[in-house]
Amino acid sequence: MRGKRIRTTGKNLFAAAALFLPLAALLSGCGKRAALDLQTEAPDGLISVAFSEVGAESDWRVANSESMRTTFTEENGYEFYFEDAKGKQENQITTLRNYILQGVDYIVLAPVVETGWDEVLQEAKDAGIPVIVVDRMVDVENEDLYAAWVGSDFKKEGEVAVEWLEKYLEEQGRADEEIRILHVMGTLGASSQLGRTEGLEEGVAAHDNWEIAAQLQGDYTQAKTYEVVAEYLAESEDIDVIYCENDNSTLGAIQALDEAGISYGTDGDVILISFDATTVGLAACLEGSINLDVECNPLHGPRVEQIILQIEAGETPQKLTYVDETYFTPDTLTEELIAARGY
Ligand code: AHR
């Protein structure tokens, strides 16, 4: 259950801590005391929820941030704090420490990578602040360091892609052909990268005629993927499949293929497999440029709220919650379906 509620004068806790903590620490000669001096009871009974987001590297991420913002509004009874880590774990650790010093009611963490969280999560636990992990997972020694996690089964997403590819090649009469796969990975060490990579690698190991031609680092962005795929295609065009670990990456690969004059998609030479199923990805899928888009749903705001409401009610939330997801191919899509999906 939540302890004392606190509030700062501004919405940006990071800036508040940066401004006031050194002064208060100087006056009191004690950092911890300084943090307490900052705390005041929230007069309005709002629950303070402080979110540390990975960044804004993809359409998926923007939709995820928006889902949090539109869920944790004052009208819904929340005071919401947000920090964008710009893809850096060290920024997230600093942000979490500031949230802890401020004594927020809940911390929500979308971690950049899985490892390296034990110390700061122990600090949150010692301060009595429940941490809810969302999207990617944390790999910690003691699972009690966080209250709950909600996100996708990333390995299953990879397995879905592999199963689809197997069937598709069969339908095309290519089941026994040599298949060379160019693999563009997301942010290294992120659960989504690890799971989707594992799914693919296991699939390749199970097919004697499949081969990973190269593994490139696309970092989940269009720009980086364009750069690495263009560089790769300048050396070799002998590719049957490009497996990109998110939609923005796939758009970067499309850019590089266009430039190299290589055809792709339902009527082309290269099969494109993507993840996320964002509006931009599905639009490319509907027109036949992307052959398969595996869903990774970013609308976690209401899911995190459910967990908070359970804790508020004195209940213990389920430790791990996997979101149900599907996949899309050009023949299963319509403009109406894309428009109705909300991200
Ligand atoms: O961890 C989820 C991944 O992170 C999404 O697939 C990607 O688009 C995002 O940046």
Side-chain angles (χ1 to χ4, degrees), residues 22 28 38 159 190 206 215-216 219 251 274 277 290 307:
S28 67
L38 255 187
E159 290 167 349
Q215 287 184 309
L216 310 176
D219 214 9
L251 297 183
S274 189
I290 293 178
I307 294 170

Side-chain angles (χ1 to χ4, degrees), residues 57-58 60-61 135-136 192 196 220 245-246 276:
E57 74 282 3
S58 62
W60 187 102
R61 189 62 57 191
D135 173 32
R136 304 171 187 174
S192 41
R196 291 168 191 164
Y220 286 134
E245 290 186 354
N246 81 343
D276 284 357

Side-chain angles (χ1 to χ4, degrees), residues 247 250-251 254 264-266 272-274 280-282 284-293 328-330:
D247 282 343
T250 309
L251 297 183
I254 286 177
Y264 50 84
T266 45
L272 288 187
I273 294 179
S274 189
V280 280
L282 291 183
C285 189
L286 176 64
E287 69 178 26
S289 300
I290 293 178
N291 298 73
L292 169 73
D293 205 347
F328 300 94
T329 50

Side-chain angles (χ1 to χ4, degrees), residues 54 57 60-61 89 92 109-117 133-140 143 146 149-159 183-201 219-220 243 245-246 275-276 296 300 320-322 325:
V54 167
E57 74 282 3
W60 187 102
R61 189 62 57 191
Q89 184 181 34
Q92 292 200 291
L109 170 65
V112 177
V113 289
E114 288 191 350
T115 55
W117 296 105
V133 181
V134 67
D135 173 32
R136 304 171 187 174
M137 287 179 156
V138 291
D139 181 4
V140 282
E143 301 229 315
Y146 62 94
W149 167 87
V150 61
S152 305
D153 186 336
F154 300 113
K155 183 170 178 206
K156 188 169 162 210
E157 290 175 355
E159 290 167 349
H183 176 199
V184 184
M185 295 186 287
T187 303
L188 297 188
S191 311
S192 41
Q193 178 271 315
L194 294 167
R196 291 168 191 164
T197 295
E198 205 182 333
L200 175 66
E201 287 177 345
D219 214 9
Y220 286 134
Y243 178 100
E245 290 186 354
N246 81 343
F275 294 85
D276 284 357
C296 177
H300 291 313
L320 305 178
T321 303
Y322 290 91
E325 289 169 338

